[in-house]
Amino acid sequence: MFSKILVANRGEIAVRVVRACHALGVKAVAVYSTADENALHVQLADERVCIGPPAPQASYLNTDAIIEAALSTGCEAVHPGYGFLSERSDFARECEENGLTFIGPSPSIIDRMGNKSQARSTMMEAGVPVVPGTKQAVHSAEEALPLAREIGWPIMIKASSGGGGKGMRVSESEEDFADMFNIAQRESVNAFADNTMYLERAVQNPRHVEVQIIADNHGNVVALGERDCSVQRRHQKLIEEAPSPALTEELRRAMGVAAIKAVRAVDYKNAGTIEFLLDTTGKFYFMEMNTRVQVEHPVSEQITGTDIIKEQLRIAAGEPMSCADRAPFTPFGHAMEFRINAEDPDHGFRPCPGKITRFEPPMGPGVRVETYVHEGSSISPYYDSMVAKVIVSGQDREECLARGRRALDEFKIEGIATT
């Protein structure tokens, strides 16, 4: 196991990683911007390094400063959390070039699975169910139109480098196809500096179901069950639960087998997520792979008794995962996660930075709160609006829902508007 790890992130995920390090007897080094000088992850860490001013480009995306912080404090590895640098293959390579272990998959796998059109092609070859669509990328509406006619409408137009709903549009007919394609492509160029697109048949009224996987360097690959992430707003997840109430046991097994097949097809290592669309007939299709830990990982932890962050550290250190002997996993109980965002629901969910004047998180049986804030904390306009996650668990879905209602009713936050 490593002796010291740098946590290249902020917020609740940075707190989560620091705590996992301490649970394994590993020292944690925090990096922070001047806006986060008094943040919880900074207070909990064994050492701390300021890496720049509040703007992410000057701090949490400043790879030179982060690498220097890791080297100057004697770290052996870097955990990127989620967001920021977690799926940046150039950062993973930079870590490797400086003798640092990147806690995640290899740079080549990040590239391969981060390009969604290439990921689709890879899954097709591996025999994983994929939504009918283009196997190769397209770069213009003129090039795409004949392919769209073959697929049939409605069609989902997607950016190969996309995420979070950016660079994505639905074309209902041939008449609106060129306009929708061009709008999606412009969004892709603006958000990702990439004009590469691909097409899929639009799955009507789908559910978003993902499988949490972990793979080590000793041939072990396990699926920690599925999470249902269908409750979203503008393609941003709000509530996640496990197991999915929409899956039969047969469908659950089939989805788990497909996820493991996908992982083995690319020789993936560390924690990741295979995301599927489930249609109204019970058919599921590969959508994308997330090559990092996800915001909603705690619900999988609750129903399997597995600490995913600790497993990430073990795998990156070359050790076998500790949970392989318990696979295949049968979920026990039910879990849900509610994201608490600093957004104003009464005014179009606009971000609501400011100072928290009251913060009383819920407690009691089956309630877990992941956060980085406390009473008196200031929510910065520079970063993601999520301030906390409320994770509840119970013997079944009914008990889980009851605990969720109680927990949300007990949660008191004042000074800012929240969801």
Side-chain angles (χ1 to χ4, degrees):
M1 179 50 67
F2 306 109
S3 60
K4 189 184 290 187
I5 290 172
L6 182 129
V7 184
N9 215 301
R10 66 176 302 278
E12 67 87 17
I13 188 59
V15 173
R16 177 79 179 83
V17 176
V18 169
R19 286 173 170 160
C21 287
H22 289 167
L24 291 173
V26 177
K27 290 184 177 180
V29 176
V31 293
Y32 65 95
S33 73
T34 52
D36 283 336
E37 184 176 4
N38 299 312
L40 183 57
H41 78 284
V42 178
Q43 297 175 32
L44 294 178
D46 301 281
E47 298 176 56
R48 51 209 59 84
V49 180
C50 182
I51 51 171
Q57 287 294 140
S59 53
Y60 296 106
L61 293 173
N62 185 345
T63 59
D64 289 343
I66 291 172
I67 294 293
E68 176 56 32
L71 296 175
S72 66
T73 54
C75 290
E76 301 149 281
V78 175
H79 195 302
Y82 55 71
F84 288 135
L85 299 169
S86 61
E87 292 179 288
R88 287 266 298 268
S89 61
D90 55 345
F91 178 64
R93 287 190 183 91
E94 197 172 344
C95 287
E96 291 183 356
E97 290 166 1
N98 283 277
L100 298 165
T101 299
F102 178 81
I103 300 177
S106 67
S108 62
I109 295 299
I110 295 174
D111 280 336
R112 187 174 180 182
M113 301 311 290
N115 184 299
K116 292 180 172 54
S117 58
Q118 188 174 355
R120 272 178 54 83
S121 178
T122 300
M123 293 303 109
M124 288 177 185
E125 293 170 3
V128 177
V130 173
V131 178
T134 54
K135 188 172 183 178
Q136 304 300 326
V138 292
H139 297 87
S140 70
E142 293 75 21
E143 177 188 1
L145 183 56
L147 301 172
R149 289 174 179 145
E150 292 178 16
I151 297 166
W153 278 269
I155 284 177
M156 186 74 76
I157 303 163
K158 291 185 174 182
S160 288
S161 300
K166 295 177 182 176
M168 186 164 70
R169 285 290 185 277
V170 176
S171 167
E172 299 290 349
S173 66
E174 184 166 339
E175 285 68 36
D176 71 3
F177 181 78
D179 287 341
M180 293 297 103
F181 187 97
N182 292 331
I183 291 170
Q185 190 173 53
R186 280 197 298 272
E187 282 186 1
S188 179
V189 171
N190 291 336
F192 314 110
D194 186 0
N195 71 344
T196 309
M197 312 297 289
Y198 67 100
L199 310 179
E200 287 180 349
R201 180 175 296 156
V203 180
Q204 300 298 299
N205 302 312
R207 294 185 78 100
H208 183 147
V209 182
E210 60 190 30
V211 178
Q212 173 70 58
I213 59 89
I214 308 177
D216 63 22
N217 294 289
H218 300 267
N220 299 307
V221 179
V222 300
L224 299 180
E226 83 285 350
R227 300 185 289 254
D228 197 310
C229 308
S230 302
V231 180
Q232 302 182 13
R233 184 182 64 83
R234 297 175 185 168
H235 305 290
Q236 297 293 323
K237 300 169 186 174
L238 294 176
I239 300 173
E240 301 94 357
E241 65 177 304
S244 169
L247 266 58
T248 63
E249 283 304 315
E250 182 181 7
L251 191 53
R252 179 168 291 114
R253 283 193 297 271
M255 198 173 281
V257 168
I260 290 176
K261 185 185 291 185
V263 169
R264 292 197 182 279
V266 294
D267 196 26
Y268 189 88
K269 300 294 187 294
N270 215 268
T273 308
I274 308 297
E275 303 204 2
F276 295 103
L277 288 178
L278 176 67
D279 70 16
T280 54
T281 70
K283 292 182 179 179
F284 64 89
Y285 306 97
F286 171 83
M287 182 169 58
E288 64 180 352
M289 181 176 194
N290 285 293
T291 56
R292 53 169 168 79
V293 69
Q294 287 195 265
V295 176
E296 59 271 21
H297 75 273
V299 293
S300 296
E301 294 184 328
Q302 294 299 117
I303 65 164
T304 61
T306 303
D307 188 318
I308 293 171
I309 306 296
K310 285 168 65 176
E311 296 294 358
Q312 283 193 291
L313 303 187
R314 290 190 181 101
I315 292 167
E319 300 176 8
M321 68 177 78
S322 68
C323 62
D325 59 347
R326 293 190 285 122
F329 286 88
T330 300
F332 50 86
H334 205 91
M336 291 184 177
E337 176 180 289
F338 305 90
R339 301 191 189 192
I340 311 301
N341 299 329
E343 298 171 348
D344 189 346
D346 294 327
H347 295 88
F349 292 90
R350 68 187 181 196
C352 190
K355 186 175 182 178
I356 296 176
T357 57
R358 183 184 182 191
F359 189 82
E360 297 176 14
M363 294 183 284
V367 178
R368 165 182 170 184
V369 178
E370 299 281 350
T371 187
Y372 67 100
V373 304
H374 50 78
E375 198 164 293
S377 291
S378 293
I379 304 303
S380 171
Y382 291 97
Y383 312 119
D384 184 83
S385 63
M386 189 173 68
V387 296
K389 304 184 307 196
V390 177
I391 302 101
V392 294
S393 56
Q395 296 181 58
D396 50 35
R397 192 168 191 259
E398 287 68 31
E399 183 175 61
C400 187
L401 282 165
R403 286 176 171 174
R405 293 187 187 99
R406 172 182 65 77
L408 293 173
D409 186 54
E410 288 181 7
F411 206 160
K412 307 299 180 189
I413 307 178
E414 295 178 3
I416 58 171
T418 70
T419 52

